[in-house]
Amino acid sequence: MKVGVVTFPGSLDDVDGRRAVVLAGHEAVALWHGDHDLRGVDAVILPGGFSYGDYLRCGAISRFSPVMTEVVAAAERGMPVLGICNGFQILCESHLLPGALIRNNHQKFVCRDQRLRVENNGTAWTSSYDGGAEITVVLKNGEGSYVADEATLDLLEAEGRVVVRYLDVNPNGSLRDIAGITNERGNVVGLMPHPEHAVEDLCGPGTDGLGFFTSLLAPVG
Amino acid sequence: MARVVVDVMLKPEILDPQGKAVQGALPRLGFEGISDVRQGKRFELEVDGELTEERLAQVREIAEKLLSNPVIEDFAVHVDGAVAGAGA
């Protein structure tokens, strides 16, 4: 599969994202924020970082970049799209996912190995995992507190659209310990933790994150 | 040429850690009796030409589409101190 990873001005984890894609057996394609072109990819990853310096709101300006017009249209046609950290913020600002990410409730940047439970393994990005799998990946954010109104949270829970939930500690004040969610169709997934930093034993807390990238090959069920 | 001001505030039910941090600093500086602080953003837009209803509607669209996120924020539009229309 050809998997595109978008680079915005201020993206940090685009290279790690491409490396994770290759380690999962795919071809990685670099995409540029300023192009109206997805270069024929089959899936897109919006990486972590501080696109446009997090000015205005995290992801608020990236949302209107030329490449995002194409990503939104492709996502609405069913293309798998994964937003990690800043990418999750961009997906929320683009209204591809509901809710928003605000400043951590304890006001500090957090960087830790975070345990998560995979609660929905029916998405394009989590089908490699067993349902209820507990994994450990890197978490690093300053504005990672997931918020939405009660009706939206109830809907996400009722439809099984909470993809990953924080275990042990809630690192940023996210409502209902939500670490990641999906859209109705299950092709768009956003999460604050970084699975692309947990794909090799050499660095990071293990290889628990690789499943997000190998899932693209597994049948979605 | 007219100046239009857009104020953006987090909705009341959204936690504002920055406001809380500012409030927490006040007693240390000897200021008592401030029960809450909320931090927001102020945008000053210089609008070319005459400020017509259409131009104001355009500013409100800018406020809704870019300057605020309606999921977590409310905005208010002011001209010369007068309230020109708010959005929730």
Side-chain angles (χ1 to χ4, degrees), chain B residues 13-84:
Chain B
E13 66 270 24
I14 302 289
L15 177 73
D16 175 15
Q18 293 186 111
K20 285 265 175 278
V22 172
Q23 188 202 352
L26 293 177
R28 293 199 295 276
L29 296 170
F31 297 107
E32 301 293 342
I34 307 296
S35 59
D36 195 20
V37 176
R38 306 280 292 173
Q39 181 175 323
K41 298 182 189 125
R42 173 188 167 100
F43 300 88
E44 298 180 348
L45 284 68
E46 304 298 331
V47 180
D48 291 342
E50 197 190 341
L51 190 61
T52 58
E53 262 311 307
E54 287 76 31
R55 299 293 268 161
L56 263 179
Q58 195 179 42
V59 171
R60 280 192 284 270
E61 191 185 344
I62 292 168
E64 193 169 358
K65 195 172 179 184
L66 180 63
L67 304 184
S68 74
N69 177 348
V71 176
I72 50 171
E73 293 167 328
D74 296 325
F75 68 85
V77 178
H78 309 265
V79 189
D80 292 332
V83 176

Side-chain angles (χ1 to χ4, degrees), chain A residues 74-166:
Chain A
E76 284 168 354
R77 289 194 302 269
M79 180 183 280
V81 176
L82 177 67
I84 303 167
C85 197
N86 190 217
F88 185 16
Q89 294 162 340
I90 295 169
L91 290 177
C92 287
E93 284 282 343
S94 304
H95 308 308
L96 285 174
L97 293 174
L101 285 310
I102 64 169
R103 195 169 293 270
N104 296 348
N105 60 342
H106 47 73
Q107 305 154 17
K108 292 184 285 290
F109 193 93
V110 61
C111 182
R112 67 193 305 272
D113 295 344
Q114 176 71 45
R115 278 213 321 140
L116 306 169
R117 187 191 304 114
V118 180
E119 299 204 348
N120 179 345
N121 67 340
T123 79
W125 298 94
T126 52
S127 55
S128 286
Y129 294 101
D130 294 329
E134 295 184 0
I135 63 172
T136 300
V137 303
V138 175
L139 176 91
K140 45 168 193 159
N141 67 67
E143 302 194 32
S145 182
Y146 181 74
V147 297
D149 59 40
E150 284 295 309
T152 303
L153 294 170
D154 288 343
L155 183 73
L156 289 172
E157 303 267 13
E159 294 183 346
R161 287 165 56 191
V162 176
V163 176
V164 279
R165 213 183 291 266
Y166 295 118

Side-chain angles (χ1 to χ4, degrees), chain A residues 1-6 17-18 21 26-31 37-47 67 70-72 74-75 77-83 91 124-125 186-189 212-217 220:
Chain A
M1 223 180 214
K2 287 173 75 172
V3 183
V5 181
V6 178
R18 293 206 299 271
V21 161
H26 304 291
E27 181 188 344
V29 178
L31 300 177
D37 187 1
L38 295 184
R39 300 179 63 190
V41 298
D42 306 300
V44 171
I45 294 172
L46 305 180
V67 80
E70 310 306 320
V71 171
V72 169
R77 289 194 302 269
M79 180 183 280
V81 176
L82 177 67
L91 290 177
W125 298 94
N187 62 308
V188 179
V189 170
F212 276 83
F213 309 97
T214 56
S215 291
L216 287 171
L217 287 174
V220 176

Side-chain angles (χ1 to χ4, degrees), chain A residues 157-206:
Chain A
E157 303 267 13
E159 294 183 346
R161 287 165 56 191
V162 176
V163 176
V164 279
R165 213 183 291 266
Y166 295 118
L167 291 177
D168 304 333
V169 295
N170 182 329
N172 47 32
S174 291
L175 296 177
R176 304 195 192 181
D177 299 335
I178 290 173
I181 57 171
T182 186
N183 63 345
E184 283 178 46
R185 202 165 172 172
N187 62 308
V188 179
V189 170
L191 77 167
M192 281 319 285
H194 289 259
E196 84 283 14
H197 292 332
V199 293
E200 289 174 288
D201 280 321
L202 180 63
C203 48

